[in-house]
Amino acid sequence: MSRPTGTQATTPTKIKKISPGELMVQWADGHETHHLAPVLRGMCPCASCKDEMTGMRMILPIHIPDDLEFRKIEIVGQYALQFEWSDGHHTGIYSFEYLRELCPCPECKLV
Amino acid sequence: MAFWNKDDKGVALGEEQVLNVLKKVQDPDLHKDIVSLGFIRNLKIDNGTVAFDLNLTTPACPVKDQMRDEAVALVKALPGVQNVEIKMTSEVRQTPQLDKSALKGVRNIVAVGSGKGGVGKSTMAVNIAASLGAAGARVGLLDGDIYGPTTPIMLGLDLPPKSVGNRMIPQEAAGLKFISMGLLVKSEQPLIWRGPMAHKALQQCLFDVDWGELDYLVVDLPPGTGDVHLTLAQAVPLTGAVIVSTPQDVGLRISMKTLRMFQQTRVPILGIIENMSYYICPHCNSQDHIFGHGGGRRAAEQLGIPFFGEVPLDLAIRTQSDIGSPIVLAQPNSPSGRTLREIAERVAAQISIRSYETPVLEVE
Ligand SMILES: Nc1ncnc2c1ncn2[C@@H]1O[C@H](COP(=O)(O)OP(=O)(O)OP(=O)(O)O)[C@@H](O)[C@H]1O
Ligand SMILES: [Mg+2]
Ligand SMILES: [Zn+2]
Ligand SMILES: [Zn+2]
C-alpha cells in the first residue's frame, strides 16, 4: 500500500477554517483532513524555515506557541495554499500535494 | 402543413416536445446535450414558429454551425413546426477560482509558452487573441516578455500605455486590449530587470490595469521557465497553457521542462501547436515538410494532450507581423489565416472544457 496519489486525492473541494487554529480540507476523493495551526506551521516549506541545501528545520516546535492561529488563508494559483499565521509569518506556500501528505489522520499515518 | 396547424388546435406544440428533440444535439467537446448544458434560452412557440437562442460557451466555437444546423433540422421535423428562428449567442464561462480575485471581470487567463525561444510564441499569441476577438469575444493580450518585446510591433504599437492615477489603461489594437511589460519597462528608467523586478512588473500588468470585462486574457510568455512563469502561476488561477513547439525540438524534448513546470503548479496544458511545421512556397504554394512530419501530433498523443494543429512556415505570417497587422485579420481566408483561426477555435473549445471540469473550490 502507498499513500493516495493522483489528482483526486490532491484536489481540494472545500477549505474551511473551523476554529481559529484548525483548518479542514475536503478532497475530491472524499477524504477529509484536519490540520492544526501549530503543527502545520512547524512544517513550513519556505526557505527561512527549512534550509534548502540540508533540509534542516530552522523553526522547531518550541518556537511555536500552542495557540497559534490562522490569520489569513489564500489560494495560490491552482496548486497551493498560503497562510498568514498569528506570529506574522506568511512566506510558506503549501502545495495541495504537501497538504495531503501531511494529513495527520490515523488512516493516512498508517500507510 | 399550414392547414394542419391552423385547424388542429388540439395538438398544440409544447416546450417540452421541443426540448426533448433538442436533447439529441450533443456538444461534441463537452459530451453533453445542449439542453442539459443549459444552452437553450428564450424558447418561444408562436403558432408554427419556434424561436430560441442557442447560447454557446464561446463565440469561437469550432462546431457552432454543425450544432445550429442539427438543432434547426430536429425542431423543423416536429409536427406543426413551419418556421425555426435560432439566434446564436455565447457566454464564456469563468474559471471557477477567478471570480474571487482582483481580476473578477476576467473570465479566463491563458498562457502561451514554449521551451525554446523563437518558436513563434508571440506570433501564435497575437493571432489566437486576434482570432478570438474577431469571432466576437472580448480579448486582452498581455505581453510578458520584458527583454525582447516583439508583440507591440506585431500590433503596430510602440508607445507605453497611458495611466490614470496608478491604474494603467490598456492600449487597443487589432480588436484587443493590450499591455506590454516591455513597453512599460522602456517607459521607465533603464533598469536591470531581475527576478523580483519581473515579478513586480507582471503583478502590475495583471492587477494595476483596467482590463474591464474580458472573456479571454492571453499571456505571451518569455521563453523557458523563469520568474514570469512562476509569478503568473502563483498570482492567478490560469485556465491553462498553450505550448508552442517546432518540429526541430524533436519530440518536444526541450519543452518537457516547461510542461513539468506547468504540471507542478497545476496549470492545465490545453494543448500543443506545432509551428513552422511545413513550408509553403511563396511562388507555387506547394507544401514541403522540410523538418519531417507528425512529430508534434505524436508527442501530444504520447503525453495525452490535445494537438491544436500545424502552422506552416509562411512568409506572409511574418510579413503581416512585421507591419503590425496580424494575418488572421488581414488575410483571414488565406491558407495560413484559416489554419490559425481554426487553431484559435480549438483553443477556445479546450478552455470551455476546462471551465466545466475544474472543480469549484469552496473556501470559508
Ligand atoms: N509560421 C511562421 N511562418 C513564418 N514566420 C514565422 C512563423 N512563426 C513565427 N515566425 C517569425 O519567426 C520569428 C520569431 O517568432 P516569434 O517572435 O513569434 O517567436 P517567439 O517564440 O515569441 O520568440 P521569443 O522566444 O524571442 O519570444 C518572427 O520573425 C516571426 O515573424
Ligand atoms: Mg516572443
Ligand atoms: Zn516559513
Ligand atoms: Zn488522512
Side-chain angles (χ1 to χ4, degrees), chain B residues 98-118:
Chain B
L98 256 174
D99 61 344
K100 291 180 196 84
S101 80
L103 287 161
K104 55 179 172 302
V106 178
R107 302 198 168 187
N108 295 282
I109 304 181
V110 182
V112 179
S114 71
K116 250 189 351 180

Short mmCIF file of all heavy atoms in Angstrom, two decimals, chain B residues 98-118:
data_model
loop_
_atom_site.label_atom_id
_atom_site.label_comp_id
_atom_site.label_asym_id
_atom_site.label_seq_id
_atom_site.Cartn_x
_atom_site.Cartn_y
_atom_site.Cartn_z
N LEU B 98 -11.38 32.25 -10.41
CA LEU B 98 -11.05 33.64 -10.77
C LEU B 98 -12.01 34.68 -10.22
O LEU B 98 -11.62 35.80 -9.96
CB LEU B 98 -11.03 33.77 -12.30
CG LEU B 98 -9.66 33.84 -12.96
CD1 LEU B 98 -9.82 33.82 -14.46
CD2 LEU B 98 -8.89 35.07 -12.55
N ASP B 99 -13.26 34.30 -9.99
CA ASP B 99 -14.24 35.32 -9.66
C ASP B 99 -14.00 35.96 -8.29
O ASP B 99 -14.53 37.00 -7.98
CB ASP B 99 -15.66 34.76 -9.74
CG ASP B 99 -15.89 33.62 -8.76
OD1 ASP B 99 -14.88 33.09 -8.25
OD2 ASP B 99 -17.05 33.29 -8.50
N LYS B 100 -13.15 35.31 -7.50
CA LYS B 100 -12.89 35.88 -6.19
C LYS B 100 -11.65 36.78 -6.19
O LYS B 100 -11.37 37.45 -5.22
CB LYS B 100 -12.70 34.76 -5.16
CG LYS B 100 -13.99 34.02 -4.89
CD LYS B 100 -13.78 32.90 -3.88
CE LYS B 100 -14.93 31.93 -3.91
NZ LYS B 100 -14.79 30.90 -4.96
N SER B 101 -10.93 36.77 -7.28
CA SER B 101 -9.66 37.51 -7.29
C SER B 101 -9.87 38.94 -7.77
O SER B 101 -10.97 39.35 -8.11
CB SER B 101 -8.65 36.80 -8.19
OG SER B 101 -8.91 37.12 -9.53
N ALA B 102 -8.77 39.68 -7.78
CA ALA B 102 -8.82 41.08 -8.20
C ALA B 102 -9.22 41.20 -9.68
O ALA B 102 -9.62 42.26 -10.13
CB ALA B 102 -7.47 41.72 -7.97
N LEU B 103 -9.08 40.09 -10.41
CA LEU B 103 -9.40 40.13 -11.83
C LEU B 103 -10.78 39.57 -12.10
O LEU B 103 -10.98 38.82 -13.03
CB LEU B 103 -8.34 39.33 -12.60
CG LEU B 103 -6.98 39.98 -12.72
CD1 LEU B 103 -5.93 38.94 -13.07
CD2 LEU B 103 -6.99 41.06 -13.77
N LYS B 104 -11.74 39.95 -11.29
CA LYS B 104 -13.02 39.25 -11.40
C LYS B 104 -13.80 39.56 -12.68
O LYS B 104 -14.72 38.84 -13.02
CB LYS B 104 -13.90 39.46 -10.17
CG LYS B 104 -14.18 40.87 -9.77
CD LYS B 104 -15.10 40.82 -8.53
CE LYS B 104 -15.30 42.18 -7.93
NZ LYS B 104 -14.01 42.80 -7.55
N GLY B 105 -13.39 40.61 -13.41
CA GLY B 105 -14.03 40.86 -14.70
C GLY B 105 -13.48 39.98 -15.80
O GLY B 105 -13.98 39.96 -16.91
N VAL B 106 -12.40 39.25 -15.48
CA VAL B 106 -11.73 38.42 -16.49
C VAL B 106 -12.19 36.97 -16.31
O VAL B 106 -12.17 36.45 -15.20
CB VAL B 106 -10.20 38.52 -16.33
CG1 VAL B 106 -9.49 37.62 -17.33
CG2 VAL B 106 -9.75 39.96 -16.52
N ARG B 107 -12.61 36.36 -17.39
CA ARG B 107 -13.18 35.01 -17.24
C ARG B 107 -12.16 33.89 -17.37
O ARG B 107 -12.31 32.86 -16.72
CB ARG B 107 -14.30 34.82 -18.25
CG ARG B 107 -15.34 35.91 -18.03
CD ARG B 107 -16.64 35.62 -18.64
NE ARG B 107 -17.60 36.58 -18.10
CZ ARG B 107 -18.89 36.54 -18.31
NH1 ARG B 107 -19.39 35.59 -19.03
NH2 ARG B 107 -19.67 37.45 -17.79
N ASN B 108 -11.18 34.09 -18.22
CA ASN B 108 -10.17 33.05 -18.40
C ASN B 108 -8.82 33.68 -18.69
O ASN B 108 -8.74 34.60 -19.50
CB ASN B 108 -10.52 32.14 -19.59
CG ASN B 108 -11.79 31.36 -19.36
OD1 ASN B 108 -11.79 30.37 -18.65
ND2 ASN B 108 -12.88 31.82 -19.95
N ILE B 109 -7.79 33.17 -18.04
CA ILE B 109 -6.43 33.62 -18.35
C ILE B 109 -5.67 32.43 -18.93
O ILE B 109 -5.65 31.35 -18.34
CB ILE B 109 -5.72 34.16 -17.10
CG1 ILE B 109 -6.56 35.27 -16.46
CG2 ILE B 109 -4.33 34.69 -17.46
CD1 ILE B 109 -5.95 35.89 -15.23
N VAL B 110 -5.10 32.65 -20.09
CA VAL B 110 -4.44 31.57 -20.82
C VAL B 110 -3.02 31.99 -21.15
O VAL B 110 -2.80 33.07 -21.69
CB VAL B 110 -5.19 31.28 -22.13
CG1 VAL B 110 -4.55 30.12 -22.87
CG2 VAL B 110 -6.65 30.99 -21.87
N ALA B 111 -2.05 31.14 -20.81
CA ALA B 111 -0.66 31.46 -21.10
C ALA B 111 -0.23 30.77 -22.38
O ALA B 111 -0.68 29.66 -22.68
CB ALA B 111 0.23 31.00 -19.94
N VAL B 112 0.64 31.44 -23.14
CA VAL B 112 1.24 30.80 -24.31
C VAL B 112 2.73 30.69 -24.03
O VAL B 112 3.41 31.70 -23.81
CB VAL B 112 1.00 31.62 -25.60
CG1 VAL B 112 1.66 30.95 -26.79
CG2 VAL B 112 -0.49 31.79 -25.84
N GLY B 113 3.23 29.44 -23.98
CA GLY B 113 4.62 29.24 -23.62
C GLY B 113 5.32 28.27 -24.54
O GLY B 113 4.70 27.64 -25.41
N SER B 114 6.63 28.15 -24.33
CA SER B 114 7.42 27.17 -25.09
C SER B 114 8.68 26.89 -24.31
O SER B 114 8.99 27.60 -23.36
CB SER B 114 7.80 27.72 -26.46
OG SER B 114 8.77 28.73 -26.30
N GLY B 115 9.40 25.85 -24.70
CA GLY B 115 10.67 25.60 -24.05
C GLY B 115 11.71 26.52 -24.63
O GLY B 115 12.35 27.30 -23.94
N LYS B 116 11.85 26.45 -25.95
CA LYS B 116 12.86 27.22 -26.65
C LYS B 116 12.37 28.60 -27.02
O LYS B 116 11.17 28.81 -27.15
CB LYS B 116 13.19 26.49 -27.96
CG LYS B 116 14.54 25.88 -27.96
CD LYS B 116 14.98 25.34 -29.30
CE LYS B 116 13.99 25.28 -30.43
NZ LYS B 116 14.59 24.74 -31.64
N GLY B 117 13.28 29.52 -27.25
CA GLY B 117 12.91 30.83 -27.75
C GLY B 117 12.75 30.79 -29.26
O GLY B 117 13.22 29.86 -29.93
N GLY B 118 12.08 31.79 -29.78
CA GLY B 118 11.99 31.96 -31.21
C GLY B 118 11.14 30.95 -31.96
O GLY B 118 11.22 30.84 -33.19
#
